[in-house]
Coordinates of all heavy atoms in Angstrom, one line a residue:
M1 N -35.7 -3.0 99.7 CA -34.6 -3.1 98.8 C -33.4 -3.9 99.4 O -32.7 -4.5 98.6 CB -34.1 -1.7 98.3 CG -35.1 -1.1 97.3 SD -35.0 -1.9 95.8 CE -36.3 -1.1 94.9
P2 N -33.1 -3.7 100.7 CA -31.9 -4.5 101.2 C -32.1 -6.0 101.0 O -31.1 -6.7 100.8 CB -31.9 -4.1 102.7 CG -32.7 -2.9 102.8 CD -33.7 -2.9 101.7
D3 N -33.4 -6.5 101.1 CA -33.6 -7.9 100.9 C -33.2 -8.4 99.5 O -32.8 -9.5 99.2 CB -35.0 -8.3 101.2 CG -35.4 -8.1 102.7 OD1 -35.2 -6.9 103.1 OD2 -35.7 -9.0 103.3
M4 N -33.5 -7.5 98.5 CA -33.2 -7.8 97.1 C -31.7 -8.0 96.9 O -31.2 -8.9 96.3 CB -33.7 -6.7 96.2 CG -35.2 -6.7 96.1 SD -35.9 -8.2 95.3 CE -35.4 -7.8 93.6
S5 N -30.9 -7.1 97.5 CA -29.4 -7.1 97.4 C -28.8 -8.4 98.1 O -27.9 -9.0 97.6 CB -28.8 -5.9 97.8 OG -29.0 -5.7 99.2
A6 N -29.4 -8.7 99.2 CA -29.0 -9.9 100.0 C -29.2 -11.2 99.2 O -28.4 -12.0 99.0 CB -29.6 -10.0 101.3
S7 N -30.4 -11.3 98.6 CA -30.8 -12.5 97.8 C -29.9 -12.5 96.5 O -29.5 -13.6 96.1 CB -32.3 -12.5 97.5 OG -32.6 -11.4 96.7
L8 N -29.7 -11.4 96.0 CA -28.9 -11.3 94.8 C -27.4 -11.7 95.1 O -26.8 -12.5 94.3 CB -28.9 -9.9 94.2 CG -28.1 -9.7 92.9 CD1 -28.7 -10.5 91.8 CD2 -28.1 -8.2 92.5
A9 N -26.9 -11.3 96.2 CA -25.5 -11.7 96.6 C -25.5 -13.2 96.9 O -24.5 -13.9 96.5 CB -25.1 -10.9 97.8
L10 N -26.5 -13.8 97.5 CA -26.6 -15.2 97.8 C -26.6 -16.0 96.5 O -26.0 -17.1 96.4 CB -27.7 -15.5 98.7 CG -27.6 -15.2 100.1 CD1 -28.8 -15.5 100.9 CD2 -26.4 -15.9 100.7
T11 N -27.4 -15.5 95.5 CA -27.4 -16.3 94.2 C -26.1 -16.3 93.5 O -25.8 -17.2 92.8 CB -28.5 -15.7 93.3 OG1 -28.3 -14.3 93.1 CG2 -29.9 -15.9 93.9
H12 N -25.3 -15.2 93.7 CA -24.0 -15.2 93.1 C -23.0 -16.1 93.9 O -22.0 -16.6 93.3 CB -23.4 -13.8 93.0 CG -24.1 -13.0 91.9 ND1 -24.0 -13.3 90.6 CD2 -25.0 -11.9 92.0 CE1 -24.7 -12.4 89.9 NE2 -25.4 -11.6 90.7
L13 N -23.2 -16.2 95.2 CA -22.2 -17.0 96.0 C -22.5 -18.5 96.0 O -21.6 -19.3 96.2 CB -22.2 -16.5 97.4 CG -21.7 -15.1 97.7 CD1 -21.8 -14.7 99.1 CD2 -20.2 -15.0 97.3
V14 N -23.7 -18.9 95.7 CA -24.0 -20.3 95.7 C -23.2 -21.1 94.7 O -22.7 -22.1 95.0 CB -25.6 -20.5 95.5 CG1 -25.9 -21.9 95.2 CG2 -26.3 -20.0 96.7
P15 N -23.1 -20.6 93.4 CA -22.2 -21.4 92.5 C -20.8 -21.4 93.0 O -20.1 -22.4 92.7 CB -22.3 -20.6 91.2 CG -23.6 -19.8 91.3 CD -23.8 -19.5 92.7
L16 N -20.3 -20.4 93.6 CA -18.9 -20.4 94.1 C -18.8 -21.5 95.2 O -17.7 -22.1 95.4 CB -18.5 -19.1 94.7 CG -18.4 -18.0 93.6 CD1 -18.1 -16.6 94.3 CD2 -17.3 -18.3 92.6
A17 N -19.8 -21.7 96.1 CA -19.7 -22.6 97.1 C -19.8 -24.1 96.6 O -19.2 -25.0 97.2 CB -20.9 -22.4 98.1
K18 N -20.4 -24.3 95.4 CA -20.4 -25.6 94.8 C -19.0 -26.1 94.4 O -18.7 -27.2 94.3 CB -21.4 -25.6 93.7 CG -22.8 -25.4 94.1 CD -23.4 -26.6 94.7 CE -24.8 -26.4 95.0 NZ -25.4 -27.5 95.8
E19 N -18.1 -25.1 94.0 CA -16.8 -25.4 93.5 C -15.9 -25.9 94.6 O -14.9 -26.6 94.4 CB -16.2 -24.2 92.8 CG -16.9 -23.8 91.6 CD -16.4 -22.5 91.0 OE1 -15.4 -22.0 91.5 OE2 -17.0 -22.0 90.1
V20 N -16.2 -25.5 95.9 CA -15.3 -25.9 97.0 C -15.6 -27.4 97.4 O -16.8 -27.8 97.4 CB -15.6 -25.0 98.2 CG1 -14.8 -25.4 99.4 CG2 -15.3 -23.5 97.9
D21 N -14.5 -28.1 97.7 CA -14.7 -29.5 98.1 C -15.3 -29.5 99.4 O -14.9 -28.9 100.4 CB -13.3 -30.1 98.1 CG -13.4 -31.6 98.4 OD1 -14.5 -32.2 98.3 OD2 -12.3 -32.2 98.7
E22 N -16.4 -30.3 99.6 CA -17.2 -30.3 100.8 C -16.4 -31.1 101.9 O -16.7 -30.9 103.1 CB -18.5 -30.9 100.6 CG -19.4 -30.1 99.7 CD -20.7 -30.7 99.4 OE1 -21.0 -31.8 100.0 OE2 -21.5 -30.2 98.6
N23 N -15.4 -31.9 101.6 CA -14.7 -32.7 102.6 C -13.5 -31.9 103.1 O -12.7 -32.4 103.9 CB -14.3 -34.0 102.0 CG -15.5 -34.9 101.7 OD1 -16.5 -34.9 102.4 ND2 -15.4 -35.6 100.6
K24 N -13.2 -30.8 102.5 CA -12.0 -30.0 102.9 C -12.4 -28.8 103.8 O -13.3 -28.1 103.4 CB -11.3 -29.5 101.6 CG -10.0 -28.9 101.9 CD -9.3 -28.5 100.5 CE -8.0 -27.9 100.8 NZ -7.4 -27.5 99.5
V25 N -11.8 -28.7 104.9 CA -12.1 -27.6 105.8 C -11.0 -26.6 105.7 O -9.8 -26.9 105.9 CB -12.2 -28.1 107.3 CG1 -12.5 -26.9 108.2 CG2 -13.3 -29.1 107.4
T26 N -11.3 -25.3 105.5 CA -10.3 -24.2 105.5 C -10.8 -23.1 106.4 O -12.0 -22.9 106.7 CB -10.2 -23.6 104.0 OG1 -11.5 -23.1 103.7 CG2 -9.8 -24.7 103.0
P27 N -9.8 -22.3 106.9 CA -10.1 -21.2 107.8 C -10.9 -20.1 107.1 O -11.6 -19.4 107.8 CB -8.8 -20.8 108.4 CG -7.8 -21.3 107.4 CD -8.4 -22.5 106.8
G28 N -10.6 -19.9 105.9 CA -11.3 -18.9 105.1 C -10.8 -17.5 105.4 O -9.7 -17.3 106.1
V29 N -11.5 -16.5 105.0 CA -11.1 -15.1 105.1 C -11.2 -14.6 106.5 O -10.3 -13.9 107.0 CB -12.0 -14.2 104.2 CG1 -11.7 -12.7 104.4 CG2 -11.9 -14.6 102.7
L30 N -12.2 -15.1 107.3 CA -12.4 -14.7 108.7 C -11.2 -15.2 109.5 O -10.6 -14.4 110.3 CB -13.7 -15.2 109.2 CG -13.9 -14.9 110.7 CD1 -14.0 -13.4 110.9 CD2 -15.2 -15.5 111.2
G31 N -10.7 -16.4 109.2 CA -9.6 -16.9 109.9 C -8.3 -16.1 109.7 O -7.5 -15.9 110.5
F32 N -8.2 -15.7 108.4 CA -7.0 -14.9 108.0 C -7.1 -13.5 108.7 O -6.1 -13.0 109.2 CB -6.9 -14.7 106.5 CG -5.8 -13.7 106.1 CD1 -4.5 -14.1 106.1 CD2 -6.2 -12.5 105.7 CE1 -3.5 -13.3 105.8 CE2 -5.2 -11.6 105.4 CZ -3.8 -12.0 105.4
I33 N -8.2 -12.9 108.8 CA -8.4 -11.6 109.4 C -8.1 -11.7 110.9 O -7.4 -10.9 111.4 CB -9.8 -11.0 109.1 CG1 -10.0 -10.7 107.7 CG2 -10.1 -9.8 110.0 CD1 -11.4 -10.3 107.2
V34 N -8.6 -12.7 111.5 CA -8.3 -12.9 113.0 C -6.8 -13.1 113.2 O -6.2 -12.5 114.1 CB -9.1 -14.1 113.5 CG1 -8.7 -14.4 114.9 CG2 -10.6 -13.7 113.5
F35 N -6.2 -13.9 112.4 CA -4.7 -14.2 112.5 C -4.0 -12.9 112.3 O -3.0 -12.6 113.0 CB -4.3 -15.3 111.5 CG -2.9 -15.6 111.6 CD1 -2.4 -16.4 112.7 CD2 -1.9 -15.1 110.7 CE1 -1.0 -16.7 112.8 CE2 -0.6 -15.4 110.8 CZ -0.1 -16.2 111.8
A36 N -4.3 -12.1 111.3 CA -3.6 -10.9 111.0 C -3.8 -9.9 112.1 O -2.8 -9.2 112.5 CB -4.1 -10.3 109.7
V37 N -4.9 -9.8 112.7 CA -5.2 -8.8 113.8 C -4.3 -9.3 115.0 O -3.7 -8.4 115.7 CB -6.7 -8.7 114.2 CG1 -6.9 -8.1 115.5 CG2 -7.4 -8.0 113.1
M38 N -4.3 -10.6 115.3 CA -3.5 -11.0 116.4 C -2.0 -10.8 116.2 O -1.3 -10.5 117.1 CB -3.8 -12.5 116.7 CG -5.1 -12.8 117.3 SD -5.6 -14.5 117.4 CE -4.3 -15.1 118.5
A39 N -1.6 -11.0 115.0 CA -0.1 -10.7 114.6 C 0.2 -9.3 114.8 O 1.3 -8.9 115.4 CB 0.2 -11.2 113.2
L40 N -0.7 -8.4 114.4 CA -0.4 -6.9 114.6 C -0.4 -6.6 116.1 O 0.4 -5.8 116.5 CB -1.5 -6.1 113.8 CG -1.3 -6.1 112.3 CD1 -2.6 -5.4 111.7 CD2 -0.1 -5.3 112.0
A41 N -1.3 -7.2 116.9 CA -1.3 -6.9 118.3 C 0.0 -7.4 119.0 O 0.5 -6.7 119.8 CB -2.5 -7.6 118.9
V42 N 0.4 -8.6 118.6 CA 1.7 -9.1 119.2 C 2.9 -8.2 118.8 O 3.7 -7.8 119.6 CB 2.0 -10.5 118.8 CG1 3.4 -11.0 119.1 CG2 0.9 -11.4 119.4
W43 N 2.9 -7.7 117.5 CA 3.9 -6.8 117.0 C 3.9 -5.5 117.8 O 5.0 -5.0 118.3 CB 3.8 -6.6 115.6 CG 4.8 -5.6 115.0 CD1 6.1 -5.8 114.7 CD2 4.5 -4.2 114.7 NE1 6.6 -4.7 114.2 CE2 5.7 -3.7 114.2 CE3 3.4 -3.4 114.9 CZ2 5.9 -2.3 113.9 CZ3 3.5 -2.1 114.5 CH2 4.8 -1.6 114.0
G44 N 2.7 -5.0 118.0 CA 2.6 -3.7 118.8 C 3.0 -3.9 120.3 O 3.7 -3.0 120.8
L45 N 2.7 -5.0 120.9 CA 3.1 -5.3 122.3 C 4.6 -5.4 122.4 O 5.2 -5.0 123.3 CB 2.4 -6.5 122.8 CG 0.9 -6.4 123.1 CD1 0.3 -7.7 123.4 CD2 0.7 -5.4 124.3
M46 N 5.2 -6.1 121.4 CA 6.7 -6.3 121.4 C 7.4 -5.0 121.3 O 8.4 -4.7 121.9 CB 7.1 -7.3 120.3 CG 6.7 -8.7 120.6 SD 7.4 -9.4 122.0 CE 9.1 -9.7 121.4
K47 N 6.9 -4.1 120.4 CA 7.4 -2.8 120.2 C 7.3 -2.0 121.5 O 8.3 -1.3 121.9 CB 6.7 -2.1 119.0 CG 7.4 -0.9 118.6 CD 6.8 -0.3 117.3 CE 7.6 0.9 116.9 NZ 7.1 1.4 115.6
S48 N 6.2 -2.0 122.1 CA 6.0 -1.3 123.4 C 6.9 -1.8 124.5 O 7.5 -1.0 125.2 CB 4.5 -1.4 123.8 OG 4.3 -0.8 125.1
M49 N 7.0 -3.2 124.5 CA 7.9 -3.7 125.6 C 9.4 -3.3 125.3 O 10.1 -3.0 126.3 CB 7.8 -5.3 125.5 CG 8.6 -5.9 126.6 SD 8.8 -7.7 126.4 CE 9.8 -7.8 125.0
N50 N 9.8 -3.3 124.1 CA 11.2 -2.9 123.8 C 11.4 -1.4 124.2 O 12.5 -1.1 124.7 CB 11.5 -3.1 122.3 CG 11.8 -4.6 122.0 OD1 12.2 -5.3 122.9 ND2 11.5 -4.9 120.8
R51 N 10.4 -0.6 124.0 CA 10.5 0.8 124.3 C 10.6 1.0 125.8 O 11.4 1.7 126.4 CB 9.3 1.6 123.8 CG 9.5 3.1 123.8 CD 8.3 3.8 123.2 NE 7.9 3.2 122.0 CZ 6.6 3.0 121.7 NH1 5.6 3.2 122.6 NH2 6.2 2.4 120.6
H52 N 9.8 0.2 126.6 CA 9.8 0.3 128.0 C 11.1 -0.3 128.6 O 11.6 0.2 129.6 CB 8.6 -0.4 128.6 CG 7.3 0.4 128.5 ND1 6.6 0.5 127.4 CD2 6.8 1.2 129.4 CE1 5.5 1.3 127.6 NE2 5.6 1.7 128.9
M53 N 11.6 -1.4 128.0 CA 12.8 -2.0 128.5 C 14.0 -1.1 128.3 O 15.0 -1.2 129.0 CB 13.0 -3.4 127.9 CG 12.0 -4.4 128.3 SD 12.1 -4.8 130.1 CE 13.6 -5.7 130.1
G54 N 13.9 -0.3 127.3 CA 15.0 0.7 127.0 C 15.1 1.7 128.1 O 16.2 2.3 128.3
K55 N 14.0 2.0 128.8 CA 14.0 3.1 129.8 C 14.5 2.5 131.1 O 14.8 3.3 132.0 CB 12.6 3.6 130.0 CG 12.1 4.3 128.8 CD 10.6 4.8 129.1 CE 10.0 5.5 127.9 NZ 8.6 5.8 128.1
V56 N 14.7 1.2 131.3 CA 15.0 0.6 132.6 C 16.5 0.7 132.7 O 17.3 0.4 131.8 CB 14.6 -0.9 132.6 CG1 15.1 -1.5 133.9 CG2 13.1 -0.9 132.6
S57 N 17.0 1.2 133.9 CA 18.4 1.2 134.3 C 18.7 0.0 135.1 O 18.1 -0.3 136.1 CB 18.7 2.5 135.1 OG 20.0 2.4 135.6
F58 N 19.7 -0.8 134.6 CA 20.0 -2.1 135.2 C 21.2 -1.9 136.2 O 21.6 -2.9 136.8 CB 20.3 -3.1 134.2 CG 19.1 -3.6 133.4 CD1 18.9 -3.1 132.1 CD2 18.2 -4.4 134.0 CE1 17.8 -3.5 131.4 CE2 17.1 -4.8 133.3 CZ 16.9 -4.4 132.0
E59 N 21.8 -0.7 136.3 CA 22.9 -0.5 137.2 C 22.3 0.0 138.5 O 21.4 0.8 138.6 CB 23.8 0.6 136.6 CG 24.5 0.1 135.3 CD 25.4 1.1 134.7 OE1 25.7 2.1 135.4 OE2 25.8 1.0 133.6
Q60 N 22.9 -0.5 139.6 CA 22.5 -0.2 140.9 C 23.3 1.0 141.5 O 24.5 1.0 141.3 CB 22.6 -1.4 141.8 CG 21.9 -1.2 143.2 CD 21.9 -2.5 143.9 OE1 22.6 -3.5 143.6 NE2 21.1 -2.6 145.0
D61 N 22.6 1.9 142.1 CA 23.3 3.1 142.7 C 24.1 2.7 143.9 O 23.8 1.7 144.5 CB 22.3 4.2 143.1 CG 21.6 4.7 141.9 OD1 22.1 4.6 140.8 OD2 20.5 5.3 142.1
S62 N 25.2 3.4 144.2 CA 26.0 3.1 145.4 C 25.2 3.3 146.7 O 25.4 2.6 147.6 CB 27.3 4.0 145.4 OG 26.9 5.4 145.5
E63 N 24.2 4.2 146.7 CA 23.4 4.4 147.9 C 22.6 3.1 148.1 O 22.4 2.7 149.3 CB 22.5 5.6 147.7 CG 23.2 6.9 147.7 CD 22.3 8.1 147.4 OE1 21.1 7.9 147.4 OE2 22.8 9.2 147.2
N64 N 22.0 2.6 147.1 CA 21.2 1.4 147.2 C 22.0 0.2 147.7 O 21.6 -0.7 148.4 CB 20.5 1.1 145.9 CG 19.4 2.0 145.7 OD1 18.9 2.7 146.5 ND2 19.0 2.1 144.4
E65 N 23.3 0.1 147.2 CA 24.2 -1.0 147.6 C 24.5 -0.9 149.1 O 24.5 -1.9 149.8 CB 25.5 -0.9 146.8 CG 25.3 -1.3 145.3 CD 26.6 -1.2 144.6 OE1 27.6 -0.9 145.2 OE2 26.5 -1.3 143.3
A66 N 24.7 0.3 149.6 CA 25.1 0.5 151.0 C 23.8 0.1 151.9 O 23.9 -0.5 152.9 CB 25.5 1.9 151.3
A67 N 22.6 0.5 151.4 CA 21.4 0.3 152.2 C 21.1 -1.2 152.2 O 20.7 -1.7 153.2 CB 20.2 1.0 151.6
S68 N 21.3 -1.9 151.1 CA 21.0 -3.3 151.1 C 22.1 -4.1 151.8 O 21.8 -5.2 152.4 CB 20.9 -3.9 149.7 OG 22.1 -3.7 149.0
A69 N 23.3 -3.6 151.9 CA 24.4 -4.3 152.6 C 24.2 -4.3 154.1 O 24.5 -5.3 154.8 CB 25.8 -3.7 152.3
D70 N 23.7 -3.2 154.7 CA 23.6 -3.2 156.2 C 22.2 -3.7 156.6 O 21.9 -3.6 157.8 CB 23.9 -1.8 156.7 CG 22.9 -0.7 156.2 OD1 21.9 -1.1 155.5 OD2 23.0 0.4 156.6
G71 N 21.3 -4.1 155.7 CA 20.1 -4.7 156.1 C 18.9 -3.7 156.2 O 17.8 -4.1 156.5
S72 N 19.2 -2.4 155.9 CA 18.1 -1.5 156.0 C 17.3 -1.5 154.7 O 17.9 -1.7 153.6 CB 18.6 -0.1 156.3 OG 19.5 0.3 155.3
G73 N 16.1 -1.2 154.8 CA 15.2 -1.2 153.6 C 15.3 0.1 152.9 O 16.2 1.0 153.1
P74 N 14.4 0.4 152.0 CA 14.3 1.6 151.2 C 14.1 2.8 152.1 O 13.4 2.8 153.1 CB 13.2 1.5 150.2 CG 12.6 0.2 150.5 CD 13.3 -0.5 151.6
G75 N 14.8 3.9 151.9 CA 14.7 5.1 152.7 C 15.5 5.1 153.9 O 15.3 5.9 154.8
G76 N 16.3 4.1 154.1 CA 17.2 4.1 155.3 C 16.5 3.5 156.5 O 17.1 3.4 157.5
K77 N 15.3 3.0 156.4 CA 14.6 2.4 157.5 C 14.9 0.9 157.6 O 15.0 0.3 156.6 CB 13.1 2.6 157.4 CG 12.7 4.0 157.4 CD 11.2 4.2 157.3 CE 10.8 5.6 157.3 NZ 9.4 5.8 157.0
T78 N 15.1 0.4 158.8 CA 15.4 -1.0 158.9 C 14.1 -1.8 158.7 O 13.0 -1.4 159.0 CB 15.9 -1.3 160.3 OG1 15.0 -0.9 161.3 CG2 17.3 -0.6 160.5
A79 N 14.3 -3.0 158.2 CA 13.2 -3.9 157.9 C 12.7 -4.5 159.2 O 13.6 -4.8 160.1 CB 13.6 -5.0 156.9
P80 N 11.4 -4.8 159.4 CA 11.0 -5.4 160.7 C 11.5 -6.8 160.8 O 11.6 -7.5 159.8 CB 9.4 -5.4 160.6 CG 9.1 -5.2 159.1 CD 10.3 -4.5 158.6
A81 N 11.7 -7.3 162.0 CA 12.2 -8.7 162.2 C 11.1 -9.6 162.0 O 9.9 -9.4 162.3 CB 12.7 -8.8 163.7
K82 N 11.4 -10.8 161.4 CA 10.4 -11.8 161.1 C 10.5 -12.8 162.2 O 11.5 -13.2 162.7 CB 10.7 -12.5 159.7 CG 10.5 -11.5 158.6 CD 10.7 -12.3 157.3 CE 10.5 -11.3 156.1 NZ 10.7 -11.9 154.8
G83 N 9.4 -13.4 162.6 CA 9.4 -14.5 163.5 C 8.6 -14.2 164.7 O 8.0 -13.9 165.5

């Protein structure tokens, strides 16, 4: 029975395909679905990025300023000499 429904669907779609201009290329429904999914993914990523950027503190603590001023690294340890 599945073969009957497939052939029946094809017989209904063939006249619709004849109405389309053969020299004109369109993305169709699949192109729209792919574009919509990509747009939703970008929207979700932007929303997530905004949420994460809201958690970031851009102000530097006074302890970190003193540690970076005297050349010591994180935790008060001095950085190894290069060269």
Side-chain angles (χ1 to χ4, degrees):
M1 287 290 172
D3 293 62
M4 290 291 287
S5 62
S7 65
L8 183 62
L10 285 177
T11 56
H12 287 292
L13 290 176
V14 169
L16 294 174
K18 294 287 184 185
E19 295 174 9
V20 177
D21 186 12
E22 294 178 7
N23 296 326
K24 187 176 181 181
V25 178
T26 61
V29 177
L30 180 62
F32 174 75
I33 290 171
V34 169
F35 182 78
V37 167
M38 288 175 59
L40 285 172
V42 168
W43 177 78
L45 286 171
M46 292 294 289
K47 190 171 181 177
S48 174
M49 183 190 70
N50 283 334
R51 193 177 318 130
H52 282 83
M53 290 298 285
K55 294 178 184 178
V56 175
S57 173
F58 291 103
E59 295 179 12
Q60 192 171 12
D61 296 338
S62 61
E63 293 175 7
N64 289 341
E65 289 176 8
S68 63
D70 66 2
S72 61
K77 296 180 182 176
T78 56
K82 294 184 179 180

